[in-house]
């Protein structure tokens, strides 16, 4: 047995060939047990309560990897797992032996499969040996035309989708989700962009499942996320727990099945991970995100029978990707309370996932502080038009927006990728005019997490302006990320024509935003002028620096123009409803003066100075006893707003920014999803085996550090599109 295991330990009256020590030793050993052997029943029915050191487990895995190419025990235990799960689905009795066998099978297979994947030597994972030897007699209930990975993925998804999560089935649900994480972790060993010839056995199996099963799985994963079932801590109700099991260990994510084979916890799941409120909900979301964001190129071979090479028009214009059924299921999900019909009264074609959107909305609101929930919300509002429409008609938009705005408020303690996701969600929402109008009607009694000043009875729209301008200020001083600036300003520009009764503080922040960007612009212009007066003979590096400076100056010119467009939109479309904006512009009118003759700004500033001239003249006409106060100035503005006429202003077409996902979103999303999964699930994958993203740092540090610098596939690659109505 190669020293693993060592001398068997017998317990009670058990015969040597029936002890857990012997059975695991036989599983990893050289002897191949036929699929129909009664050995498998003994292995899977016996309470496997071994306690091995991590070194011993490592030796067992090495021994197993050496022998599996001959024994094909991984393939065989996965077939038995499939049979056990099929039996579990057909019986409602969770105390049956099928549940015990399924739990043992899924835990044993997860541990050894993880080792094989981490140490895979081939790109197509042939060294998993996911097939039976030709000499093996194949039972009639093993479909010959179906791969073993397809069989096991089908059985796992069928169980997860059809069997309810109860106190007596929770553990098996949880361990099957852990198994799926391990099986899909082959993606960690490759790059994010997959070609047609790239093979990931369990992914390929998952993507080829029937639509009905895909819909069932997506629905159950989302229901788990919504319902958030908790792990039942009454260990005595579980026959699978060994006596004397320490309750403290049960509370760690990933340890709930640790007594089944006890291969030590820190080999399979990181013991440093504290339990979340619902490990099952968290893992369900992890699997959902991994499946939904999978993407694979079809390659030119897919079109070879469809292309007429004599006609250039028949050639595909751009790279094509296969249709991810899980992504499609999520995008087509419908509200269980509402059956949409088209104008002819027809229901949507084909089966779709039906979910309680109200419960999903509320759960997202509770969990948006977590990055995975924010990524789920992005996936829904970007891909599912029904859910986006549902969100936009809700009257309690603060349920979603408050945690999103709090995330932006705490930007220094968040990764920049999380900030990008939140900003894109806000941008997508701001594309709808009804959203922009309704956020100004919703008044918040207080904002307890905002520390700079007390905010009482402030509209949600005013709070959004405050937080977005604050995010630009933070970015300007810390991150200096042009993409982040662009997203903030794009959202503000979409909101501008619909601003209603903007608060005094929000109005001040908006004008201060112009001042802040103007100072940055002036600094860049001064540096550029200094470089231009340097004598000739500059090096290539200096020329390159000048080019970079000119490009940055152009970018900040655009930013300043957008802010002026924002102010113009407010003054043009809603000045009488925004006296505080007029006051803020009057109070800081000197910041606009230096740009009055700038060719990019003069037309926009003409409007602002026309407003200033109107209200300044009204102020001068007032006879005041004593000093002007803020209240008195505001009162004059409010009174004269009634006589204000917009006729004299030059009308500009409204800027409308929309979000468009880049052509290769997988370059960002696949590494991002797996970084989140590994940092939260407890799956302790060897950093040296990870090629999907840089993993030479401790995982959370790696996420934080990598998020601070531009990378290929970063969210900066996504596009903002400006639509100007004709």
């Amino acid at each position: 047995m190669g020293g693993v295991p060592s001398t068997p330990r017998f317990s009670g009256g058990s015969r040597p060939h029936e002890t857990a020590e012997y059975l695991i030793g036989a599983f990893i050993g050289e002897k191949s047990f036929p699929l129909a052997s009664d050995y498998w029943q003994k292995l899977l029915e016996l309470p496997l309560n071994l306690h091995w050191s991590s070194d011993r487990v490592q030796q067992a895995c090495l021994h197993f990897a050496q022998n599996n190419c001959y024994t094909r025990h991984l393939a065989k235990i996965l077939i038995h797992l499939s049979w056990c799960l099929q039996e579990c689905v057909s019986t409602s009795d969770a105390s049956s032996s099928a549940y015990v066998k399924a739990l043992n099978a899924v835990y044993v297979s997860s541990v050894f499969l993880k080792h094989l994947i981490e140490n895979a030597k081939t790109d197509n994972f042939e060294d998993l040996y996911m097939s039976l030897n030709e000499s093996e007699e194949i039972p009639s209930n093993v479909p010959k035309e179906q791969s073993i990975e397809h069989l096991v993925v089908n059985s796992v998804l069928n169980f997860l989708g059809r069997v309810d999560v109860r106190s007596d089935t929770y553990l098996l649900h949880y361990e099957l989700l852990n198994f799926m994480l391990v099986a899909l972790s082959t993606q960690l060993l490759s790059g994010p962009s997959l070609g047609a010839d790239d093979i990931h056995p369990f992914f390929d199996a998952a993507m080829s499942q029937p639509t009905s099963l895909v819909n069932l799985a997506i629905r159950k994963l989302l229901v788990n996320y919504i319902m958030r079932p908790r792990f039942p801590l009454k260990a005595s109700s579980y026959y699978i727990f060994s006596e004397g099991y320490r309750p403290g260990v049960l509370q760690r994510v990933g340890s709930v099945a640790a007594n089944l084979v006890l291969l030590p916890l820190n080999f399979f799941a990181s013991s440093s991970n504290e339990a979340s409120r619902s490990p099952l909900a968290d893992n369900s979301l992890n699997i959902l995100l991994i499946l939904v964001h999978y993407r694979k190129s079809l390659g030119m071979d897919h079109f070879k029978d469809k292309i007429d090479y004599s006609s250039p028009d028949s050639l595909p214009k751009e790279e094509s990707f296969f249709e991810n059924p899980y992504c499609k299921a999520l995008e087509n999900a419908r509200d269980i309370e509402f059956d949409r019909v088209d104008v002819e009264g027809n229901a949507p074609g084909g089966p779709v996932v039906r979910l309680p959107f109200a419960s999903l909305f509320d759960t997202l609101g509770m969990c948006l502080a977590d990055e995975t929930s924010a990524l789920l919300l992005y996936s829904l509002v970007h891909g599912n038009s029904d859910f986006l429409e549902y969100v936009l008609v809700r009257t309690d938009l603060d349920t979603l927006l408050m945690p999103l705005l709090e995330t932006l408020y705490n930007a220094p303690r968040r990764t920049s990728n999380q900030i990008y996701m939140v900003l894109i969600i806000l941008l997508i929402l701001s594309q709808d005019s009804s959203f922009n109008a309704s956020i100004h009607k919703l008044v918040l009694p207080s904002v307890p997490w905002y520390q700079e000043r007390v905010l009482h009875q402030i509209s949600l729209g005013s709070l959004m302006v405050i937080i977005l301008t604050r995010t630009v200020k933070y970015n300007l001083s810390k991150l200096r990320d042009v993409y982040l600036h662009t997203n903030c300003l794009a959202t503000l520009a979409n909101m501008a024509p619909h601003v209603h009764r903007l608060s005094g503080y929000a109005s001040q922040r908006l004008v201060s935003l112009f001042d802040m960007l103007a100072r940055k612009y002036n600094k860049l212009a001064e540096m550029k002028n200094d470089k231009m007066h340097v004598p000739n003979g500059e090096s290539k590096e200096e020329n390159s620096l000048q080019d970079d400076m000119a490009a940055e100056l152009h970018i900040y010119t655009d930013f300043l123009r957008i802010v002026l467009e924002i102010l113009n939109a407010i003054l043009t479309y809603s000045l009488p409803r925004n006296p505080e904006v007029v006051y803020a512009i009057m109070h800081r009118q000197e910041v606009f003066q230096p740009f009055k003759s700038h060719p990019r700004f003069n037309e926009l500033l003409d409007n602002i100075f026309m407003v200033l001239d109107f209200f300044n003249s009204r102020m001068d006409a007032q006879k005041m006893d004593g000093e002007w106060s803020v209240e008195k100035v505001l009162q004059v503005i409010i009174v004269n707003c009634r006589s204000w006429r917009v006729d004299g202003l030059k009308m500009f077409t409204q800027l409308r920014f929309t979000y468009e996902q880049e052509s290769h979103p997988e370059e960002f999303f696949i590494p991002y999803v797996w970084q989140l999964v590994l940092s939260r699930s407890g799956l302790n994958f060897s950093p040296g085996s990870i090629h999907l993203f840089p993993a030479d740092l401790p995982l959370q540090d790696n996420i934080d550090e990598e998020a601070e610098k531009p990378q290929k596939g970063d969210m900066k690659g996504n596009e903002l599109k400006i639509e100007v109505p004709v």
Side-chain angles (χ1 to χ4, degrees):
M1 298 278 179
V4 182
S6 57
T7 307
R9 306 184 187 114
F10 307 139
S11 57
S14 299
R15 290 174 290 179
H17 62 279
E18 291 179 351
T19 63
E21 189 89 18
Y22 170 83
L23 292 169
I24 291 295
F27 178 74
I28 65 177
E30 299 171 357
K31 180 181 177 181
S32 175
F33 289 90
L35 197 58
S37 169
D38 62 354
Y39 160 79
W40 297 103
Q41 298 301 314
K42 293 176 182 177
L43 173 68
L44 300 180
E45 287 180 348
L46 192 70
L48 300 175
N49 54 0
L50 301 180
H51 294 264
W52 287 357
S53 68
S54 58
D55 289 342
R56 199 167 183 214
V57 175
Q58 182 66 22
Q59 286 299 313
C61 287
L62 292 171
H63 205 62
F64 176 78
Q66 179 182 342
N67 294 322
N68 182 55
C69 57
Y70 309 111
T71 64
R72 305 297 170 99
H73 279 178
L74 176 62
K76 292 172 186 177
I77 198 171
L78 290 178
I79 291 173
H80 278 281
L81 170 61
S82 299
W83 290 343
C84 293
L85 292 175
Q86 291 165 15
E87 187 179 342
C88 290
V89 171
S90 63
T91 179
S92 59
D93 182 11
S95 63
S96 70
S97 63
Y99 274 81
V100 178
K101 291 189 291 184
L103 276 165
N104 282 350
V106 71
Y107 192 73
V108 172
S109 57
S110 293
V111 171
F112 290 102
L113 175 61
K114 175 177 174 290
H115 174 83
L116 292 178
I117 291 173
E118 279 183 306
N119 297 278
K121 301 294 190 296
T122 61
D123 293 337
N124 57 7
F125 299 97
E126 287 180 346
D127 35 7
L128 298 182
Y129 296 101
M130 294 293 294
S131 62
L132 300 177
N133 287 317
E134 293 181 3
S135 59
E136 178 94 21
E137 184 177 346
I138 301 177
S140 58
N141 56 347
V142 177
K144 293 182 176 57
E145 71 284 353
Q146 199 177 81
S147 68
I148 292 172
E149 52 267 33
H150 187 282
L151 174 67
V152 71
V153 169
N154 181 280
S155 300
V156 170
L157 295 181
N158 195 48
F159 177 90
L160 292 174
R162 296 188 185 280
V163 177
D164 292 335
V165 178
R166 308 185 303 266
S167 61
D168 52 354
T169 64
Y170 183 103
L171 189 59
L172 183 51
H173 273 275
Y174 179 75
E175 288 301 336
L176 287 171
L177 291 170
N178 274 339
F179 169 80
M180 286 298 293
L181 280 180
V182 171
L184 299 176
S185 67
T186 56
Q187 201 169 42
L188 289 167
L189 276 65
S190 64
S193 298
L194 299 179
D197 297 329
D198 291 320
I199 294 174
H200 289 273
F202 294 97
F203 262 114
D204 294 338
M207 295 299 150
S208 62
Q209 297 299 322
T211 301
S212 58
L213 183 57
V214 169
N215 288 344
L216 196 66
I218 287 291
R219 182 185 182 281
K220 190 54 166 287
L221 293 172
L222 283 168
V223 167
N224 286 346
Y225 173 74
I226 292 167
M227 300 305 294
R228 313 194 70 73
R230 299 192 183 190
F231 175 71
L233 292 178
K234 294 182 179 178
S236 59
S237 66
Y238 287 85
Y239 49 84
I240 53 173
F241 291 154
S242 58
E243 292 182 9
Y245 203 89
R246 294 172 295 173
V249 180
L250 293 180
Q251 296 170 12
R252 297 199 192 112
V253 176
S255 68
V256 288
N259 63 309
L260 293 180
V261 176
L262 208 76
L263 311 172
L265 173 63
N266 62 0
F267 180 78
F268 176 59
S270 170
S271 59
S272 65
N273 247 23
E274 292 300 323
S276 66
R277 291 192 309 171
S278 178
L280 189 71
D282 295 343
N283 264 7
S284 295
L285 180 54
N286 290 335
I287 296 297
L288 176 78
L289 293 173
I290 290 170
L291 291 172
V292 163
H293 288 286
Y294 179 76
R295 189 170 162 93
K296 186 174 182 179
S297 172
L298 289 172
M300 289 302 295
D301 286 346
H302 177 77
F303 299 98
K304 64 182 179 182
D305 297 328
K306 306 173 185 178
I307 296 175
D308 177 6
Y309 289 95
S310 63
S311 171
D313 293 337
S314 69
L315 295 172
K317 298 295 187 294
E318 56 187 34
E319 188 174 7
S320 297
F321 294 83
F322 91 106
E323 187 174 60
N324 181 332
Y326 298 88
C327 182
K328 183 179 179 182
L330 184 68
E331 290 177 350
N332 291 336
R334 300 288 180 262
D335 190 356
I336 202 169
E337 300 295 332
F338 177 69
D339 289 328
R340 163 171 285 191
V341 293
D342 61 26
V343 291
E344 297 178 355
N346 300 316
V352 295
V353 176
R354 298 205 174 275
L355 294 165
F357 277 7
S359 301
L360 179 56
F361 180 94
D362 292 339
T363 303
L364 284 165
M366 290 189 300
C367 302
L368 278 176
D370 183 75
E371 279 189 78
T372 51
S373 291
L375 183 51
L376 174 61
L377 178 58
Y378 164 82
S379 303
L380 287 165
V381 298
H382 176 256
N384 188 312
S385 58
D386 274 45
F387 187 77
L388 175 59
E389 184 179 321
Y390 176 84
V391 170
L392 293 172
V393 300
R394 287 283 296 232
T395 57
D396 57 341
L397 282 167
D398 54 313
T399 301
L400 292 186
L401 290 185
M402 288 299 280
L404 293 176
L405 296 176
E406 186 176 2
T407 297
L408 294 181
Y409 180 80
N410 292 314
R413 298 194 293 274
R414 301 287 184 262
T415 68
S416 53
N417 282 339
Q418 185 178 6
I419 301 303
Y420 297 145
M421 293 311 307
V422 171
L423 288 174
I424 290 170
I425 291 167
L426 295 178
L427 176 60
I428 291 171
L429 295 176
S430 74
Q431 292 168 194
D432 183 83
S433 57
S434 65
F435 167 84
N436 294 322
S438 60
I439 56 175
H440 290 284
K441 297 173 184 174
L442 202 161
V443 177
L444 306 167
S446 64
V447 186
W449 43 262
Y450 195 89
Q451 299 297 311
E452 281 81 349
R453 64 164 59 196
V454 176
L455 299 178
H456 280 316
Q457 299 299 315
I458 187 171
S459 72
L460 187 56
S462 292
L463 182 62
M464 273 189 70
V465 171
I466 293 167
I467 297 301
L468 287 170
T469 54
R470 186 179 185 275
T471 304
V472 173
K473 181 180 180 181
Y474 167 71
N475 180 51
L476 199 60
S477 62
K478 301 291 184 183
L479 302 179
R480 299 181 177 88
D481 186 339
V482 169
Y483 178 79
L484 194 149
H485 277 342
T486 306
N487 269 281
C488 289
L489 296 176
T491 303
L492 287 168
N494 286 347
M495 293 168 58
H498 311 278
V499 166
H500 183 83
R501 297 197 177 281
L502 198 66
S503 74
Y505 184 49
S507 301
Q508 293 168 29
R509 302 316 303 155
L510 201 52
V511 175
S512 294
L513 176 61
F514 180 85
D515 182 39
M516 185 168 45
L517 293 172
R519 281 185 273 119
K520 174 70 173 179
Y521 172 90
N522 289 331
K523 184 178 179 182
L524 287 168
E526 185 179 332
M527 290 170 63
K528 183 186 176 187
N529 289 334
D530 289 345
K531 290 289 182 183
M532 289 177 65
H533 291 93
V534 173
N536 292 333
E538 301 97 335
S539 66
K540 288 183 178 180
E541 290 78 8
E542 289 173 327
N543 287 330
S544 176
L545 184 63
Q546 285 190 32
D547 291 342
D548 291 344
M549 203 175 297
E552 191 174 6
L553 186 63
H554 180 75
I555 288 169
Y556 276 88
T557 304
D558 289 341
F559 288 161
L560 281 172
R561 183 172 175 87
I562 292 174
V563 177
L564 290 175
E565 294 258 19
I566 291 167
L567 293 172
N568 260 269
I570 297 172
L571 298 177
T572 302
Y573 298 102
S574 55
L575 183 149
R577 299 189 298 275
N578 290 286
E580 292 281 6
V581 175
V582 176
Y583 176 85
I585 292 173
M586 291 179 69
H587 183 63
R588 299 292 307 278
Q589 53 190 288
E590 75 281 354
V591 303
F592 301 104
Q593 194 68 42
F595 299 93
K596 196 171 183 180
S597 58
H598 193 292
R600 288 287 307 278
F601 308 143
N602 55 2
E603 287 186 320
L604 292 164
L605 282 169
D606 284 348
N607 281 352
I608 290 176
F609 279 102
M610 188 175 294
V611 171
L612 285 170
D613 290 344
F614 176 85
F615 285 96
N616 282 333
S617 65
R618 298 307 186 271
M619 292 283 296
D620 293 340
Q622 293 291 318
K623 294 180 179 179
M624 284 295 301
D625 296 327
E627 295 292 325
W628 283 98
S629 67
V630 174
E631 291 75 15
K632 289 177 181 178
V633 174
L634 261 177
Q635 189 57 41
V636 172
I637 292 172
I638 291 169
V639 169
N640 285 281
C641 275
R642 299 167 189 163
S643 59
W644 164 257
R645 294 292 178 267
V646 75
D647 304 346
L649 295 184
K650 179 178 175 61
M651 301 296 289
F652 294 92
T653 51
Q654 291 182 21
L655 283 183
R656 183 172 182 270
F657 290 86
T658 59
Y659 168 75
E660 285 190 358
Q661 199 174 73
E662 63 172 359
S663 58
H664 288 276
E666 73 281 358
E667 293 181 356
F668 167 78
F669 284 107
I670 291 177
Y672 182 44
V673 167
W674 273 107
Q675 288 184 27
L676 294 179
V677 167
L678 291 181
S679 68
R680 287 157 171 75
S681 67
L683 179 64
N684 191 19
F685 209 87
S686 170
S689 300
I690 297 174
H691 298 146
L692 184 61
F693 53 82
D696 52 340
L697 300 170
L699 189 63
Q700 192 57 48
D701 293 342
N702 185 58
I703 292 175
D704 294 341
E705 183 167 311
E706 291 302 319
E708 299 301 323
K709 56 188 180 184
Q711 305 173 46
K712 181 182 180 184
D714 210 333
M715 287 302 292
K716 303 173 186 68
N718 291 281
E719 300 174 7
L720 284 176
K721 186 176 181 181
I722 305 177
E723 295 180 359
V724 181
V726 178

